[in-house]
Amino acid sequence: MASRVILLSGLVALIVNAALALDNNPILDFCVADTKNTVLVNGYVCKDPKTVQAEDFYASGFHIPTNTSNQLGFNALPATAAQIPGLNTFGISAARIDYAPGGIIPPHSHPRATEILIVLEGSQLEVGFVTSNPENRHITKVIGKGDVFVFPVGLIHYQRNNGSQPASGIVAFSSQNPGVHTVANVVFGSNPEIATDILAKAFQVDNNVINQIKSHF
Ligand SMILES: *[C@@H]1O[C@H](CO)[C@@H](O)[C@H](O)[C@H]1NC(C)=O
Ligand SMILES: *[C@@H]1O[C@H](CO)[C@@H](O)[C@H](O)[C@H]1NC(C)=O
């Protein structure tokens, strides 16, 4: 009886573990992405290991601020498996983020990754995320240079540079391809669009309010 309980809890632990392991575990030293291969797999097909070079594991320019002259006032330089082929199958990626004064990264989620943000410059970076239903608890803080903040996998989060100077940071993700769902674009800018009356009911407003928002996406 006791051994059955142990076996059962072992199985449950395995299943739970599998459910939490988002990117698959590597089974080779490396599987450098052959980004030109048209075969569709979960990730990228491996290049012939004999042709792999140091450049496959390399990127540069992450010390240079990106251009934040855009509507939202932020920009990002990604370092995912799409840019660094050697990241394929390793469950990790990163990005440089720049924020103009007043710039925001609008509410969004990464379906496949927890994110950790390390602030390089800035003194008034508002960060926050919201927990699942039914609590919908808003966890938020103002952080600055040298501070670190974590955004749990899948949860909707945002950032705003409330300072008068540009801010920047490096983020790392627990996926080679974290994915991004930007709430406004997903809800109001999908293609084809979600029916206006569905959104009107969901947001408890008139159709014309929904149509007005849709017209911006
Ligand atoms: C930044 O982007 C804006 C808008 O696209 C452009 O007009 C401007 O020339 C860019 N600045 C630099 C330094 O590249
Ligand atoms: C943002 O900046 C304004 C002006 O300095 C300040 O009044 C406000 O409290 C700041 N917001 C946060 C969340 O710190």
Side-chain angles (χ1 to χ4, degrees), residues 66-70 75:
T66 58
N67 187 342
T68 57
S69 301
N70 55 55
N75 208 338

Side-chain angles (χ1 to χ4, degrees), residues 93-132:
S93 58
R96 179 197 167 102
I97 312 282
D98 291 282
Y99 313 84
I104 66 159
I105 299 190
H108 66 284
S109 73
H110 302 292
R112 294 178 287 278
T114 291
E115 172 178 348
I116 183 166
L117 164 67
I118 302 167
V119 183
L120 300 178
E121 295 296 341
S123 58
Q124 289 283 317
L125 197 64
E126 287 175 58
V127 297
F129 64 83
V130 179
T131 68
S132 303

Side-chain angles (χ1 to χ4, degrees), residues 24-67:
N24 292 330
N25 290 328
I27 51 177
L28 299 167
D29 274 358
F30 51 73
C31 168
V32 172
D34 177 359
T35 49
K36 295 194 183 73
N37 200 305
T38 54
V39 175
L40 298 179
V41 295
N42 188 19
Y44 294 102
V45 170
C46 311
K47 241 167 114 157
D48 179 349
K50 289 192 288 296
T51 67
V52 166
Q53 304 292 333
E55 301 306 312
D56 291 318
F57 301 92
Y58 174 81
S60 64
F62 284 74
H63 60 304
I64 302 167
T66 58
N67 187 342

